[in-house]
Amino acid sequence: MDSLISTFSNLVDQEVTIRGWVQHVRSSGSIVFLQVRDGSGFVQAVASKALVDEASWTAATSATMESSVEVTGLVAKHPKQPGVYELQVTRILLLQRAEEYPLGKKEHGPDFLLDNRHLWLRAPSQWAVQRVRDCIIRATYEWFHQHDYVKIDSPILTPSACEGTTELFEIDYFGERSAYLSQSGQLYLEAAIASVGRCFDFGPVFRAEKSKTRRHLIEFWMMDAEAAFVDHEQNMKIQEQLIEHIVSKVLTECRAELTILERDVKPLENVKAPFYRLTHAEAISKLHELGSDIGDMDDLGADDETTLTKLYDKPLFIEKYPTAVKAFYMKRDPQDETRVLNSDLLAPEGYGEISGGSQREDNYDKLLERIREHNLPVEAFRWYLDLRKYGSVTHSGFGYGLERIVAWICGLHHVRETIPFPRLINRLEP
Ligand code: 4AD
Ligand code: MG
């Protein structure tokens, strides 16, 4: 019977066949121990010379690291470790004998691992990261669909910027004009809410950012969400609930993965709404108390975020940033026109910004003024301005960076490990 390792707890004493790759092989005379991975999990297959035919014994003894194999055997409980299963081999077939495998025999530096990303993905830690990533994606779709959101796909090729023109990837569009790779689908979702009310997108976005930090990728996956009749305050509540749902789903479904990653789950178990909140002004005074010389109306840098989040044991919202450091579409705070109704959500343990959102400017004249102030081409934003002419409503939204969330939940230092094939300033391969 063809089976997956992940179902072995239901198959004790039954004969099964698995197909996969040999992670390690160790032999002690008449017994060969093969650590086999089939995608769903890992199992030790034990082949005894006395119990298998000659062809199987030859296959077992000649299997190398990362050889592909088909193994048939009896599922057995591990003699010492509860919850762990073994396979007592009755037959083994070598599908392809791998050449000398370049990874895993010693510690490797990040550059070597990234050069070999196509192989590194097979490591248990990377298996675990990709499975957590998948769980976060599923949790996100699940939460939105439980809350009446519709998935709307934003375009990737766009005629203008969403998040500032300095980080735009420009491409030649049939020799006639320029097109830009999307930085965020937000503006398109703002159009779609007048059709479906609440919506989200999820896809790759691009930032030609010359930053070499542990939080920046050139291509990353963003989830944008937008909702009509939602104000700044409700917008933060939505983010709280979504993030709480994501973390709790990972905690229930990815225990084994978090164990492989040696992730301390205590701080994750604490991720329950309500999260902490500071205004930007309060955050600046806290930083001053801690000895920083940041200006009162400065944007927060990555180091400032790290300092702040280390003070808190749950995610932290920082709201109402100075107008000058934020995007053109954010609505100004009616109580203080020098600030906008926005929030950045910072993950604890020093991780920093994972999600950014705001209430949007819904007044035609004010929006036009902002577009001009930001020196953006008004023509390219005609369609966006139209949305303020035909039934404009209060609305808000936010976007999260999937890789930042994966890094935080998995407890990884750098986002480059969270995406299957990272794109960095100095890396386009493999
Ligand atoms: O804060 P950002 O730039 O916000 C927007 O793009 C809004 N239009 C979203 C919206 O309101 N719909 O980006 C959103 C998130 C950030 O909070 C961060 O998590 C992530 O995207 N992010 C990056 N992740 C990896 N590499 C980069 N270079 C990133 N830039 C932003
Ligand atoms: Mg941001």
Side-chain angles (χ1 to χ4, degrees):
M1 179 178 61
D2 280 359
S3 302
L4 290 176
I5 294 169
S6 58
T7 64
F8 275 11
S9 59
N10 299 320
L11 297 173
V12 175
D13 293 335
Q14 296 192 38
E15 190 176 69
V16 301
T17 297
I18 57 167
R19 293 188 192 87
W21 297 264
V22 174
Q23 248 176 312
H24 296 291
V25 53
R26 174 167 69 84
S27 87
S28 68
S30 57
I31 303 183
V32 176
F33 300 94
L34 303 135
Q35 182 73 18
V36 179
R37 168 186 91 237
D38 75 344
S40 80
F42 307 87
V43 74
Q44 172 158 277
V46 185
S48 308
K49 190 172 182 187
L51 301 177
V52 298
D53 61 30
E54 210 176 303
S56 291
W57 183 248
T58 309
T61 50
S62 53
T64 50
M65 192 171 167
E66 290 303 323
S67 288
S68 42
V69 289
E70 182 180 295
V71 187
T72 302
L74 282 182
V75 177
K77 283 192 173 146
H78 189 282
K80 293 191 192 104
Q81 291 162 266
V84 177
Y85 301 89
E86 279 189 347
L87 199 58
Q88 288 163 358
V89 178
T90 50
R91 200 179 75 104
I92 173 164
L93 208 70
L94 197 53
L95 302 175
Q96 193 255 331
R97 185 170 186 274
E99 293 177 23
E100 169 99 1
Y101 193 62
L103 299 190
K105 297 224 170 80
K106 57 176 172 81
E107 284 280 310
H108 300 290
D111 279 328
F112 182 81
L113 290 172
L114 288 168
D115 286 344
N116 288 286
R117 183 61 172 166
H118 52 298
L119 302 177
W120 184 28
L121 273 179
R122 305 176 183 198
S125 62
Q126 301 307 305
W127 173 88
V129 171
Q130 290 310 314
R131 291 183 46 115
V132 171
R133 179 179 169 112
D134 175 60
C135 183
I136 294 170
I137 296 170
R138 278 185 288 116
T140 301
Y141 275 77
E142 185 176 80
W143 192 88
F144 280 121
H145 287 145
Q146 284 167 357
H147 290 85
D148 303 311
Y149 280 72
V150 174
K151 171 114 189 304
I152 291 283
D153 299 319
S154 308
I156 287 177
L157 292 173
T158 63
S160 53
C162 175
E163 290 298 315
T165 47
T166 52
E167 299 166 357
L168 270 181
F169 263 112
E170 186 170 356
I171 56 173
D172 171 52
Y173 205 66
F174 301 106
E176 300 212 334
R177 54 178 296 187
S178 287
Y180 306 94
L181 298 182
S182 178
Q183 300 168 303
S184 157
Q186 176 198 326
L187 307 187
Y188 295 95
L189 294 192
E190 285 186 62
I193 55 166
S195 166
V196 298
R198 296 179 163 218
C199 55
F200 70 106
D201 65 17
F202 209 139
V205 294
F206 306 86
R207 305 271 170 108
E209 257 175 292
K210 293 228 163 96
S211 341
K212 269 196 191 170
T213 77
R214 66 193 186 95
R215 296 172 186 176
H216 286 93
L217 291 164
I218 302 303
E219 175 180 321
F220 64 97
W221 281 64
M222 193 187 295
M223 186 291 303
D224 294 284
E226 200 69 28
F229 309 108
V230 161
D231 65 11
H232 166 59
E233 186 60 31
Q234 294 167 305
N235 195 40
M236 290 194 285
K237 294 226 162 80
I238 292 168
Q239 291 174 72
E240 253 167 16
Q241 289 173 32
L242 170 67
I243 297 295
E244 178 181 320
H245 178 73
I246 290 172
V247 172
S248 106
K249 191 167 170 94
V250 172
L251 284 171
T252 19
E253 296 189 4
C254 298
R255 281 287 163 165
E257 289 82 353
L258 296 173
T259 304
I260 289 177
L261 294 166
E262 296 176 13
R263 177 63 160 116
D264 177 7
V265 294
K266 282 255 160 52
L268 297 177
E269 282 164 351
N270 208 27
V271 179
K272 296 267 182 275
F275 297 164
Y276 296 109
R277 286 184 193 190
L278 289 179
T279 61
H280 174 272
E282 288 163 345
I284 296 287
S285 0
K286 277 227 184 295
L287 288 166
H288 286 163
E289 282 165 29
L290 295 166
S292 160
D293 59 359
I294 188 168
D296 285 346
M297 297 305 251
D298 284 355
D299 199 0
L300 300 181
D303 293 344
D304 304 312
E305 291 182 0
T306 299
T307 309
L308 288 169
T309 60
K310 283 192 171 153
L311 304 175
Y312 298 90
D313 59 1
K314 277 204 267 193
L316 163 70
F317 281 110
I318 306 207
E319 53 172 333
K320 302 187 177 171
Y321 279 61
T323 311
V325 303
K326 287 292 177 189
F328 74 96
Y329 52 72
M330 294 187 180
K331 192 174 183 66
R332 294 196 179 170
D333 182 359
Q335 317 285 318
D336 176 0
E337 286 276 318
T338 68
R339 296 183 178 273
V340 283
L341 294 175
N342 85 306
S343 64
D344 277 0
L345 178 59
L346 315 186
E349 302 171 84
Y351 278 93
E353 183 186 343
I354 50 173
S355 171
S358 75
Q359 190 169 326
R360 320 304 191 187
E361 182 50 72
D362 48 33
N363 176 277
Y364 183 93
D365 295 321
K366 287 185 183 165
L367 185 60
L368 181 59
E369 205 179 306
R370 303 288 173 265
I371 290 172
R372 292 203 168 115
E373 281 166 8
H374 280 79
N375 292 317
L376 294 167
V378 176
E379 271 321 299
F381 289 96
R382 280 287 164 214
W383 69 269
Y384 185 65
L385 281 157
D386 266 358
L387 307 174
R388 278 70 182 167
K389 286 203 271 186
Y390 308 107
S392 191
V393 298
T394 298
H395 67 288
S396 304
F398 58 95
Y400 81 42
L402 177 60
E403 292 72 18
R404 302 252 184 113
I405 297 188
V406 177
W408 161 49
I409 293 182
C410 290
L412 302 172
H413 178 70
H414 202 298
V415 291
R416 65 191 167 204
E417 262 183 74
T418 63
I419 185 162
F421 294 95
R423 299 299 177 233
L424 305 164
I425 311 185
N426 53 358
R427 179 172 296 281
L428 193 56
E429 267 112 15

